[in-house]
Amino acid sequence: MKNIFSVFIFFCVVVVSGCTTTQGSFNPSTHFTYPNSNIAPLGYVSASVKDQGFILPPKVDKEKIAKLMEDALTQKPGADMIINYKIDTTYTQIPIPIFAIYFQTIKLEGTAAKMTVGKQELLSN
């Protein structure tokens, strides 16, 4: 019985000793904007994708970012791009002797916008 309790305490300590880190970036737009285009904001969008890894942490690759962009753009009909967006990547590591388990969450937040190419509307005084 004492051995079972010791093993239970060991696993509790291992699970509690995990750590989470978050890193992110902020960007003005997701796509190239034509010089004479008018950009109309459509509203806030948010999307996330989760992944896990065993021994090695999962990588952030272009397929995950493309899925984030697609999921976010489909939230607002007519959206061409996302402006003033940030991408945060959160890693959670649970260390277990000899190996580790990793959980990854990539979250995109920003403003969906529609781009209309043509004459730019300027304010006159």
Side-chain angles (χ1 to χ4, degrees):
M1 183 70 170
K2 185 177 178 183
N3 289 338
I4 293 173
F5 183 71
S6 297
V7 169
F8 175 74
I9 294 296
F10 173 75
F11 281 115
C12 288
V13 168
V14 166
V15 169
V16 172
S17 68
C19 69
T20 300
T21 58
T22 301
Q23 46 186 323
S25 65
F26 177 80
N27 297 301
S29 67
T30 57
H31 297 81
F32 173 78
T33 356
Y34 290 99
N36 284 334
S37 63
N38 295 305
I39 305 297
L42 300 176
Y44 173 81
V45 292
S46 175
S48 65
V49 64
K50 295 182 179 192
D51 198 3
Q52 63 274 341
F54 182 70
I55 299 177
L56 297 173
K59 294 182 179 181
V60 177
D61 54 12
K62 66 180 180 178
E63 287 82 18
K64 289 179 187 174
I65 300 300
K67 181 173 177 13
L68 278 174
M69 296 292 179
E70 181 182 323
D71 291 350
L73 286 172
T74 57
Q75 293 175 16
K76 297 290 180 182
D80 300 314
M81 62 189 306
I82 301 172
I83 57 174
N84 299 331
Y85 75 97
K86 68 177 186 170
I87 295 179
D88 291 327
T89 305
T90 303
Y91 287 102
T92 301
Q93 175 187 6
I94 300 175
I96 299 175
I98 306 173
F99 60 88
I101 299 172
Y102 295 90
F103 298 97
Q104 175 192 66
T105 303
I106 307 170
K107 185 173 184 180
L108 177 140
E109 297 178 296
T111 304
K114 179 167 183 61
M115 176 174 47
T116 308
V117 179
K119 275 190 164 181
Q120 190 170 20
E121 298 167 6
L122 301 175
L123 298 174
S124 60
N125 292 343

